[in-house]
Amino acid sequence: MFDVALTDAGAKVVLATASDEKHPPEHMIDGSEETFWSSTGLFPQEFVISFSGLMNINAVNLKTYQIHKMSIERSVQAEPIDFEILEEKEFTVTDMALQVEDFTFDEATAATHLRFVVKSGYDHFISVHQVSVDGTAARQ
Amino acid sequence: MPKTLRAKVITVGDSAVGKSAITQVFHSDGAHFPKSYSMTVGVELCVKSVNIPDTNDCVELYIYDSAGKELYSDYVHKFWEHPSVVMVVFDVTNETSFKSCQKWLERVKNKTNQELPGVLVGNKIDLVGRRVISPKIAREFAMKNSLEYCECSAKEMENVEAAFYFVANAFYRLYEEKVEVMNTLV
Ligand SMILES: Nc1nc2c(ncn2[C@@H]2O[C@H](COP(=O)(O)OP(=O)(O)O)[C@@H](O)[C@H]2O)c(=O)[nH]1
Ligand SMILES: [Mg+2]
């Protein structure tokens, strides 16, 4: 098992609906919890992470702040299209501490891209400090 | 690259206080005061960007101008979900419209658990002789409710921007504060 969402593993954030240059989307997959991507107002917000190729995914772990409802969608295409929803979840609110939330899948789920949709927040702004995706490269 | 924040502005107040006129004068940079009276039916959305002084950043205001008529209230209230800031408007020549401000403010506040920066706007100051609400009374009410107070005349296109600049800047400061917290979480 391996974090296939790391920049070092060839993953990229190919879309994010908000960008403050001090807190860019790359901060979600740089391996550091200290750095983060922040939303800059209004919901929904979303971001898409593309892997270096097709992956079999067992779990997604998120370290975030002030997210209320989030859904995860996957695409198995080469391009980030034809997304289908995997799971939607309500996060537990925290005070001055990171939210730690897992999405686990019963069977390994194939994906080349994951789309994360933040439907609502506990505050006007949310932050995503780390997205880890536990998976392995799929044989094609 | 400069950053762009986005804020949902809910404008409320009794019918005919000038909500639509204020929104349209602001949106058209003072080029347009609606001459013929057309009542807002339900909700209208207007988008305009405000630059934040001493930065390259801006706040895009998504202004929801809603009709004050109870008739539309179920429909209108749906657009009030997740407000970022609120603008409560009254007519300085109309005491009832001032008394209603508390009720309007509560209604919007009920839509959120979050901090809600806001401004109280006294409109129609061009009608000098007919004024019944003094700046002092309005300011006291505003202070009690943690609102900023601005007055303007949409008709004379006087000082209409002030209220929008205020909410944009307040929202910007809120973002800076929240990011400061995010920075201390790990
Ligand atoms: N004298 C004066 N009349 C105004 C002013 N602003 C709006 N009005 C008039 O007040 C009426 C109601 O304005 P409107 O913008 O439709 O109010 P709303 O129902 O709150 O959206 C219209 O006849 C406007 O022309 C103002 O600053 N001064
Ligand atoms: Mg109107």
Side-chain angles (χ1 to χ4, degrees):
Chain A
M1 292 303 162
F2 182 65
D3 183 0
V4 296
L6 283 170
T7 305
D8 289 347
K12 284 196 188 85
V13 183
V14 294
L15 177 146
T17 45
S19 184
D20 174 347
E21 63 175 357
K22 287 204 199 109
H23 306 287
E26 302 84 76
H27 281 177
M28 296 187 283
I29 57 169
D30 62 359
S32 160
E33 288 175 19
E34 244 160 280
T35 59
F36 57 88
W37 170 69
S38 60
S39 74
T40 52
L42 303 186
F43 293 100
Q45 295 280 338
E46 66 173 78
F47 56 92
V48 174
I49 295 178
S50 296
F51 304 117
S52 56
L54 188 68
M55 299 293 166
N56 283 323
I57 291 167
N58 302 298
V60 175
N61 173 272
L62 292 149
K63 306 243 167 62
T64 60
Y65 191 53
Q66 302 291 28
I67 290 182
H68 185 190
K69 282 189 190 134
M70 177 186 259
S71 66
I72 298 190
E73 300 168 18
R74 65 133 183 211
S75 158
V76 293
Q77 309 292 336
E79 299 297 316
I81 50 168
D82 300 336
F83 280 94
E84 51 183 307
I85 190 146
L86 292 175
E87 204 178 324
E88 175 164 338
K89 208 172 151 171
E90 196 160 317
F91 285 21
T92 308
V93 68
T94 56
D95 183 31
M96 302 296 280
L98 288 180
Q99 296 168 303
V100 180
E101 298 280 346
D102 290 305
F103 291 80
T104 48
F105 309 113
D106 296 340
E107 287 168 38
T109 300
T112 30
H113 315 273
L114 288 180
R115 173 199 266 159
F116 299 79
V117 182
V118 183
K119 305 208 159 150
S120 58
Y122 290 110
D123 202 345
H124 296 288
F125 311 104
I126 58 99
S127 54
V128 179
H129 295 246
Q130 189 157 301
V131 180
S132 309
V133 177
D134 179 4
T136 49
R139 250 177 262 246
Q140 300 191 52
Chain B
M1 222 183 50
K3 62 175 171 277
T4 302
L5 307 191
R6 297 195 177 88
K8 179 171 183 174
V9 185
I10 309 293
T11 47
V12 292
D14 281 358
S15 207
V17 294
K19 299 181 296 297
S20 300
I22 287 172
T23 304
Q24 285 178 41
V25 166
F26 175 66
H27 188 238
S28 66
D29 281 315
H32 177 64
F33 174 73
K35 285 278 155 33
S36 58
Y37 181 67
S38 75
M39 201 171 72
T40 314
V41 178
V43 176
E44 274 163 34
L45 173 63
C46 215
V47 183
K48 186 160 166 181
S49 183
V50 170
N51 293 320
I52 302 302
D54 307 319
T55 71
N56 292 315
D57 304 330
C58 67
V59 177
E60 245 169 39
L61 298 178
Y62 289 71
I63 306 159
Y64 286 78
D65 170 28
S66 42
K69 284 265 187 279
E70 302 293 328
L71 179 62
Y72 305 112
S73 65
D74 279 352
Y75 173 73
V76 164
H77 287 185
K78 275 209 281 287
F79 291 87
W80 291 8
E81 302 292 337
H82 310 297
S84 310
V85 295
V86 61
M87 193 178 278
V88 186
V89 186
F90 70 96
D91 171 351
V92 297
T93 70
N94 180 328
E95 184 161 14
T96 310
S97 76
F98 179 66
K99 291 219 166 101
S100 298
C101 289
Q102 189 80 56
K103 168 191 85 184
W104 287 112
L105 185 62
E106 295 311 318
R107 283 191 188 168
V108 180
K109 279 193 167 163
N110 279 338
K111 290 286 174 183
T112 178
N113 304 318
Q114 297 155 21
E115 232 170 300
L116 189 68
V119 61
L120 175 72
V121 183
N123 186 36
K124 307 199 187 181
I125 56 169
D126 56 287
L127 301 173
V128 183
R130 287 169 49 193
R131 180 168 190 141
V132 292
I133 303 298
S134 71
K136 183 163 173 287
I137 288 179
R139 198 163 284 120
E140 275 169 16
F141 172 81
M143 234 154 68
K144 237 182 27 221
N145 289 282
S146 310
L147 301 170
E148 178 72 13
Y149 180 60
C150 296
E151 30 186 64
C152 66
S153 163
K155 187 168 175 221
E156 300 298 327
M157 297 176 192
E158 191 189 326
N159 207 37
V160 168
E161 317 75 32
F164 294 95
Y165 291 166
F166 174 80
V167 291
N169 279 282
F171 192 68
Y172 186 82
R173 279 195 306 277
L174 199 58
Y175 175 74
E176 301 280 285
E177 276 168 35
K178 300 294 174 174
V179 165
E180 210 40 60
V181 173
M182 294 166 186
N183 266 317
T184 61
L185 294 175
V186 178

